[in-house]
Coordinates of all heavy atoms in Angstrom, one line a residue:
M1102 N -54.0 31.7 25.6 CA -54.4 33.0 26.2 C -55.5 32.6 27.3 O -55.5 33.2 28.4 CB -54.9 33.9 25.1 CG -55.6 35.1 25.7 SD -54.5 36.5 25.5 CE -55.5 37.8 26.0
A1103 N -56.4 31.8 26.9 CA -57.5 31.5 27.9 C -57.0 30.9 29.2 O -57.4 31.2 30.3 CB -58.6 30.6 27.3
Y1104 N -55.9 30.1 29.1 CA -55.3 29.4 30.2 C -54.7 30.5 31.2 O -54.9 30.4 32.4 CB -54.3 28.4 29.7 CG -53.5 27.9 31.0 CD1 -54.0 26.9 31.7 CD2 -52.2 28.4 31.2 CE1 -53.3 26.4 32.8 CE2 -51.5 27.9 32.4 CZ -52.1 26.9 33.1 OH -51.4 26.4 34.2
E1105 N -54.1 31.5 30.6 CA -53.5 32.6 31.4 C -54.5 33.3 32.2 O -54.3 33.7 33.3 CB -52.6 33.5 30.6 CG -51.3 32.9 30.1 CD -51.4 32.1 28.7 OE1 -52.6 32.0 28.2 OE2 -50.5 31.7 28.1
A1106 N -55.6 33.6 31.5 CA -56.7 34.3 32.1 C -57.3 33.5 33.4 O -57.6 34.0 34.4 CB -57.8 34.7 31.1
I1107 N -57.4 32.2 33.1 CA -57.9 31.3 34.1 C -57.0 31.3 35.3 O -57.4 31.3 36.5 CB -58.3 30.0 33.6 CG1 -59.5 30.0 32.7 CG2 -58.6 29.0 34.7 CD1 -59.8 28.8 31.8
E1108 N -55.7 31.2 35.0 CA -54.6 31.1 36.0 C -54.7 32.4 36.8 O -54.5 32.4 38.1 CB -53.3 30.9 35.4 CG -52.1 30.8 36.4 CD -52.4 29.6 37.4 OE1 -52.9 28.6 37.0 OE2 -51.9 29.8 38.6
L1109 N -54.9 33.5 36.1 CA -54.9 34.8 36.8 C -56.1 34.9 37.8 O -56.0 35.4 38.9 CB -54.9 36.0 35.9 CG -55.1 37.4 36.5 CD1 -54.0 37.8 37.4 CD2 -55.2 38.4 35.3
L1110 N -57.2 34.5 37.3 CA -58.4 34.5 38.1 C -58.3 33.6 39.3 O -58.6 34.0 40.4 CB -59.6 34.0 37.3 CG -61.0 33.8 38.0 CD1 -61.4 35.2 38.6 CD2 -62.1 33.2 37.1
N1111 N -57.7 32.4 39.1 CA -57.4 31.5 40.3 C -56.5 32.2 41.3 O -56.7 32.1 42.5 CB -56.8 30.1 39.8 CG -57.9 29.3 39.2 OD1 -59.1 29.4 39.4 ND2 -57.4 28.5 38.2
Q1112 N -55.5 32.9 40.9 CA -54.6 33.5 41.8 C -55.3 34.7 42.6 O -55.0 34.9 43.8 CB -53.4 34.1 41.0 CG -52.4 33.1 40.5 CD -51.2 33.6 39.7 OE1 -51.0 34.8 39.8 NE2 -50.6 32.8 39.0
I1113 N -56.1 35.4 41.9 CA -56.9 36.4 42.5 C -57.8 35.9 43.5 O -57.9 36.4 44.6 CB -57.6 37.3 41.5 CG1 -56.7 38.1 40.6 CG2 -58.7 38.2 42.1 CD1 -57.4 38.8 39.4
L1114 N -58.6 34.9 43.1 CA -59.5 34.2 44.1 C -58.7 33.6 45.3 O -59.2 33.7 46.4 CB -60.3 33.1 43.4 CG -61.3 33.7 42.3 CD1 -62.0 32.6 41.6 CD2 -62.3 34.7 42.9
D1115 N -57.6 33.0 45.1 CA -56.8 32.4 46.2 C -56.3 33.5 47.1 O -56.3 33.4 48.3 CB -55.5 31.7 45.7 CG -55.9 30.4 45.0 OD1 -57.1 29.9 45.2 OD2 -55.1 29.8 44.3
R1116 N -55.9 34.6 46.6 CA -55.4 35.7 47.4 C -56.4 36.6 48.1 O -56.3 37.0 49.2 CB -54.4 36.6 46.6 CG -53.7 37.6 47.4 CD -52.7 38.3 46.5 NE -51.7 38.9 47.4 CZ -50.6 39.5 46.9 NH1 -50.3 39.5 45.7 NH2 -49.8 40.1 47.7
Y1117 N -57.4 36.9 47.4 CA -58.5 38.0 47.8 C -59.8 37.3 48.2 O -60.6 38.0 48.9 CB -58.7 39.0 46.8 CG -57.4 39.8 46.6 CD1 -56.5 39.6 45.5 CD2 -57.1 40.9 47.4 CE1 -55.4 40.3 45.3 CE2 -55.9 41.6 47.3 CZ -55.1 41.4 46.2 OH -53.9 42.1 46.0
G1118 N -60.1 36.1 47.7 CA -61.3 35.5 48.1 C -62.5 35.7 47.0 O -63.3 34.9 46.8
S1119 N -62.5 36.9 46.4 CA -63.5 37.2 45.5 C -63.0 38.3 44.5 O -62.1 39.1 45.0 CB -64.8 37.6 46.1 OG -64.7 38.9 46.6
L1120 N -63.7 38.5 43.3 CA -63.3 39.6 42.5 C -63.6 40.9 43.1 O -63.0 41.9 42.9 CB -63.9 39.4 41.1 CG -63.4 38.4 40.2 CD1 -64.2 38.2 38.9 CD2 -61.9 38.7 39.9
D1121 N -64.8 41.0 43.8 CA -65.2 42.2 44.4 C -64.2 42.8 45.5 O -63.9 44.0 45.5 CB -66.5 42.0 45.1 CG -67.7 41.9 44.2 OD1 -67.6 42.3 43.1 OD2 -68.7 41.2 44.5
V1122 N -63.6 41.9 46.2 CA -62.5 42.3 47.1 C -61.3 42.8 46.4 O -60.7 43.8 46.8 CB -62.3 41.2 48.1 CG1 -61.1 41.5 49.0 CG2 -63.4 40.8 49.0
F1123 N -60.9 42.1 45.4 CA -59.8 42.4 44.5 C -60.0 43.8 43.9 O -59.1 44.7 44.0 CB -59.5 41.5 43.5 CG -58.4 41.8 42.5 CD1 -57.1 41.8 42.9 CD2 -58.8 42.0 41.1 CE1 -56.1 42.2 41.9 CE2 -57.9 42.4 40.3 CZ -56.5 42.4 40.6
I1124 N -61.1 44.0 43.3 CA -61.4 45.3 42.6 C -61.5 46.5 43.7 O -60.9 47.6 43.5 CB -62.7 45.2 41.8 CG1 -62.5 44.3 40.6 CG2 -63.1 46.6 41.3 CD1 -63.7 43.9 39.9
A1125 N -62.0 46.2 44.9 CA -62.1 47.2 45.9 C -60.6 47.6 46.3 O -60.3 48.7 46.6 CB -62.8 46.6 47.1
Q1126 N -59.8 46.6 46.5 CA -58.4 46.9 46.7 C -57.7 47.7 45.7 O -57.0 48.7 46.0 CB -57.6 45.5 47.0 CG -56.1 45.7 47.2 CD -55.9 46.4 48.6 OE1 -56.7 46.2 49.5 NE2 -54.8 47.2 48.7
L1127 N -58.0 47.5 44.4 CA -57.4 48.2 43.3 C -57.9 49.7 43.4 O -57.0 50.6 43.3 CB -57.8 47.7 42.0 CG -57.2 46.4 41.5 CD1 -57.8 46.0 40.2 CD2 -55.7 46.5 41.4
Y1128 N -59.2 49.9 43.7 CA -59.6 51.3 43.8 C -59.1 52.0 45.0 O -58.7 53.1 44.9 CB -61.2 51.3 44.0 CG -61.9 51.2 42.6 CD1 -62.7 50.1 42.4 CD2 -61.8 52.2 41.8 CE1 -63.4 50.0 41.2 CE2 -62.5 52.2 40.6 CZ -63.3 51.0 40.3 OH -63.9 51.0 39.1
R1129 N -58.8 51.3 46.2 CA -58.3 51.9 47.3 C -56.7 52.4 47.0 O -56.3 53.4 47.4 CB -58.2 50.9 48.5 CG -59.4 50.9 49.4 CD -59.2 50.2 50.6 NE -58.9 48.8 50.5 CZ -59.7 47.8 50.3 NH1 -61.0 48.1 50.1 NH2 -59.4 46.6 50.1
E1130 N -56.0 51.5 46.3 CA -54.7 51.7 46.0 C -54.6 53.0 45.0 O -53.7 53.8 45.0 CB -54.0 50.5 45.5 CG -53.7 49.6 46.5 CD -53.0 48.3 46.0 OE1 -52.5 48.3 44.8 OE2 -53.0 47.3 46.7
L1131 N -55.5 53.0 44.1 CA -55.6 54.1 43.1 C -55.9 55.4 43.7 O -55.3 56.5 43.5 CB -56.4 53.8 41.9 CG -56.0 52.8 40.9 CD1 -57.0 52.4 39.9 CD2 -54.6 53.1 40.3
D1132 N -56.9 55.3 44.7 CA -57.3 56.5 45.3 C -56.2 57.1 46.3 O -56.2 58.3 46.5 CB -58.6 56.3 46.1 CG -59.8 56.1 45.3 OD1 -59.8 56.5 44.1 OD2 -60.9 55.5 45.7
D1133 N -55.5 56.3 46.9 CA -54.4 56.6 47.8 C -53.2 57.2 47.1 O -52.4 58.0 47.7 CB -54.0 55.5 48.7 CG -55.1 55.1 49.7 OD1 -56.0 55.9 49.9 OD2 -55.0 54.0 50.2
A1134 N -53.0 56.9 45.8 CA -51.7 57.2 45.1 C -51.9 58.7 44.7 O -53.0 59.1 44.2 CB -51.6 56.3 43.9
P1135 N -50.9 59.5 44.8 CA -51.0 60.9 44.4 C -51.0 60.9 42.8 O -50.4 60.1 42.1 CB -49.6 61.5 44.8 CG -48.8 60.3 45.1 CD -49.6 59.2 45.4
T1136 N -51.8 61.9 42.3 CA -51.9 62.0 40.9 C -50.7 62.8 40.4 O -50.3 63.8 40.9 CB -53.2 62.8 40.5 OG1 -54.3 62.1 41.1 CG2 -53.3 63.0 39.0
Q1137 N -50.1 62.2 39.3 CA -48.9 62.9 38.7 C -49.3 63.4 37.3 O -49.6 62.4 36.4 CB -47.7 61.9 38.6 CG -46.5 62.5 38.0 CD -45.4 61.5 38.0 OE1 -45.6 60.3 38.2 NE2 -44.1 62.0 37.6
E1138 N -49.3 64.7 37.1 CA -49.6 65.2 35.8 C -48.3 65.2 34.9 O -47.3 65.7 35.4 CB -50.2 66.6 36.0 CG -50.8 67.1 34.8 CD -51.7 68.4 35.0 OE1 -52.2 68.5 36.0 OE2 -51.6 69.2 34.1
L1139 N -48.5 64.6 33.8 CA -47.3 64.5 32.9 C -47.3 65.7 32.0 O -48.3 66.2 31.6 CB -47.3 63.2 32.1 CG -47.3 61.9 32.9 CD1 -47.4 60.7 32.0 CD2 -46.0 61.8 33.6
P1140 N -46.1 66.2 31.6 CA -46.1 67.4 30.8 C -46.5 67.0 29.4 O -46.3 65.9 28.9 CB -44.6 67.8 30.8 CG -43.8 66.6 31.2 CD -44.8 65.8 32.0
R1141 N -47.1 68.0 28.7 CA -47.5 67.7 27.3 C -46.4 67.8 26.4 O -45.5 68.6 26.5 CB -48.6 68.8 26.9 CG -49.0 68.7 25.5 CD -50.0 69.7 25.2 NE -51.3 68.9 25.1 CZ -52.5 69.3 25.0 NH1 -52.8 70.6 25.0 NH2 -53.5 68.5 24.9
L1142 N -46.3 66.9 25.4 CA -45.3 66.9 24.4 C -45.6 67.9 23.3 O -46.8 68.0 22.9 CB -45.2 65.5 23.7 CG -44.8 64.3 24.7 CD1 -44.8 63.0 23.9 CD2 -43.5 64.5 25.3
T1143 N -44.7 68.7 22.9 CA -44.9 69.7 22.0 C -44.0 69.7 20.8 O -43.6 70.8 20.4 CB -44.7 71.1 22.8 OG1 -43.3 71.2 23.3 CG2 -45.7 71.3 23.9
F1144 N -43.7 68.6 20.3 CA -42.9 68.5 19.1 C -43.9 68.3 17.9 O -45.0 67.8 18.0 CB -41.8 67.4 19.1 CG -42.4 66.1 19.4 CD1 -42.9 65.2 18.4 CD2 -42.5 65.5 20.7 CE1 -43.4 63.9 18.7 CE2 -43.1 64.3 21.0 CZ -43.4 63.5 20.0
P1145 N -43.5 68.8 16.7 CA -44.3 68.7 15.5 C -44.6 67.2 15.1 O -43.7 66.3 15.2 CB -43.7 69.4 14.4 CG -42.2 69.4 14.9 CD -42.3 69.4 16.4
A1146 N -45.8 66.9 14.6 CA -46.1 65.6 14.1 C -45.4 65.3 12.8 O -45.2 66.2 12.0 CB -47.6 65.5 14.0
P1147 N -45.0 64.0 12.5 CA -44.3 63.8 11.2 C -45.3 64.0 10.1 O -46.5 63.8 10.2 CB -44.0 62.3 11.4 CG -44.8 61.7 12.5 CD -45.2 62.9 13.4
T1148 N -44.8 64.3 8.9 CA -45.6 64.6 7.8 C -45.1 63.5 6.7 O -44.2 62.8 6.9 CB -45.3 66.0 7.2 OG1 -44.0 66.1 6.9 CG2 -45.7 67.1 8.2
A1149 N -45.8 63.5 5.5 CA -45.6 62.5 4.5 C -44.2 62.7 4.0 O -43.6 61.8 3.6 CB -46.7 62.6 3.4
D1150 N -43.8 63.9 3.9 CA -42.4 64.2 3.4 C -41.3 64.2 4.4 O -40.1 64.5 4.1 CB -42.4 65.4 2.5 CG -42.8 66.7 3.2 OD1 -43.2 66.5 4.5 OD2 -42.7 67.8 2.7
G1151 N -41.7 63.9 5.6 CA -40.7 64.0 6.7 C -39.7 62.9 6.7 O -38.6 63.0 7.4
G1152 N -40.0 61.8 6.1 CA -39.1 60.7 5.9 C -39.1 59.8 7.2 O -38.2 58.9 7.3
G1153 N -39.9 60.1 8.1 CA -39.9 59.2 9.4 C -40.4 57.8 9.1 O -41.0 57.5 8.1
R1154 N -40.0 56.8 9.9 CA -40.3 55.5 9.7 C -41.8 55.2 9.6 O -42.3 54.4 8.9 CB -39.7 54.6 10.9 CG -39.8 53.2 10.6 CD -39.0 52.4 11.7 NE -39.9 52.4 12.8 CZ -39.6 51.5 13.9 NH1 -38.6 50.8 13.9 NH2 -40.4 51.6 14.9
H1155 N -42.5 56.0 10.4 CA -44.0 55.8 10.4 C -44.7 56.9 9.6 O -45.9 57.1 9.9 CB -44.5 55.7 11.8 CG -43.9 54.6 12.6 ND1 -44.4 53.3 12.4 CD2 -43.1 54.4 13.5 CE1 -43.8 52.4 13.1 NE2 -42.9 53.2 13.9
A1156 N -44.0 57.6 8.8 CA -44.6 58.7 8.0 C -45.7 58.2 7.1 O -45.5 57.1 6.6 CB -43.5 59.5 7.3
L1157 N -46.6 58.9 6.8 CA -47.7 58.6 5.8 C -47.0 58.5 4.4 O -46.3 59.3 4.0 CB -48.8 59.6 5.8 CG -49.9 59.4 4.8 CD1 -50.7 58.1 5.1 CD2 -50.8 60.7 4.8
R1158 N -47.3 57.3 3.8 CA -46.7 57.1 2.4 C -47.9 57.0 1.5 O -48.7 56.3 1.6 CB -45.9 55.8 2.4 CG -44.7 55.8 3.3 CD -43.9 54.5 3.2 NE -43.1 54.3 4.3 CZ -42.0 54.9 4.7 NH1 -41.6 55.9 4.0 NH2 -41.3 54.5 5.8
C1159 N -47.7 57.9 0.4 CA -48.8 58.0 -0.6 C -48.5 57.2 -1.8 O -47.4 56.9 -2.2 CB -49.2 59.4 -0.9 SG -49.7 60.3 0.5

């Protein structure tokens, strides 16, 4: 895992020159993107007797 993080850092530094420039670019891209509001899910939560795979088991 540490190797992958170091490799990512090296790629960022090679491409952008510094972390500050990379982060500034991320903020610019996020600020330019339109906000998309997702609809709220309105289905009932599973219960212990609902039999769902992740249902609470006592």
Side-chain angles (χ1 to χ4, degrees):
M1102 172 106 175
Y1104 173 77
E1105 290 87 357
I1107 292 171
E1108 183 61 30
L1109 175 61
L1110 176 61
N1111 286 332
Q1112 290 177 14
I1113 290 170
L1114 294 176
D1115 286 345
R1116 186 171 198 175
Y1117 295 96
S1119 74
L1120 284 176
D1121 289 332
V1122 173
F1123 172 69
I1124 291 171
Q1126 178 66 31
L1127 287 177
Y1128 276 115
R1129 274 193 301 278
E1130 289 179 14
L1131 288 173
D1132 288 343
D1133 291 344
T1136 302
Q1137 181 180 7
E1138 192 169 321
L1139 300 175
R1141 172 174 257 174
L1142 299 175
T1143 57
F1144 56 88
T1148 61
D1150 59 351
R1154 187 172 78 164
H1155 297 287
L1157 178 63
R1158 300 185 200 286
C1159 298

